[in-house]
Amino acid sequence: MNLTAVLDHTALTALYRADPFFIGLYIEASRGTGRVLVPSLSVLAAERQVGGAGRHAASLRFAEAVPFSAAHAVDAMDWPGVEWPVAHAAAIAWQALKSGEPLTVLSLEPELYAGTGITPLNPT
């Protein structure tokens, strides 16, 4: 069974900084034994957090870019207290849950997801 991981802005920043866990996860994706999803709003937030991190995330060959869709916006509107950098990753998780697709959101700051019903995994 392949693992599907959604990397939020904090995870993308860690990958940019060559965190061994995230590098390993990306290597698994390059081998086809896992999937890495990169939300477009997380790319923007990573770039604003650390210059170059978003550009790096947007260029990842073995990661799947996920555009912010109208369905994601509808889910995100239910979380008025949630900051925009995590809304896209949380909405991707909700869409996957609705369709029965297992995935894990990875975040170094899972507390940012309070109020979304999503509990990200902090791999550190």
Side-chain angles (χ1 to χ4, degrees):
M1 178 165 103
N2 287 350
L3 170 72
T4 300
V6 177
L7 304 186
D8 80 351
H9 65 293
T10 65
L12 292 174
T13 300
L15 178 62
Y16 177 69
R17 291 180 170 155
D19 177 276
F21 175 84
F22 291 105
I23 293 289
L25 187 67
Y26 185 70
I27 289 169
E28 291 303 314
S30 74
R31 293 178 179 156
T33 55
R35 290 175 62 209
V36 171
L37 304 182
V38 178
S40 59
L41 290 184
S42 295
V43 170
L44 176 60
E47 184 65 28
R48 288 186 176 175
Q49 194 170 39
V50 175
R55 290 185 195 284
H56 177 257
S59 73
L60 294 171
R61 179 177 171 198
F62 298 105
E64 299 172 41
V66 181
F68 189 66
S69 70
H72 295 139
V74 168
D75 283 338
M77 285 186 277
D78 288 335
W79 314 312
V82 172
E83 297 294 323
W84 67 268
V86 300
H88 192 189
I92 290 169
W94 270 112
Q95 292 294 316
L97 185 65
K98 290 176 192 175
S99 68
E101 178 189 346
L103 63 73
T104 302
V105 175
L106 298 176
S107 177
L108 300 181
E109 298 179 37
E111 64 277 5
L112 296 175
Y113 291 79
T116 64
I118 299 299
T119 305
L121 176 65
N122 182 346
T124 60

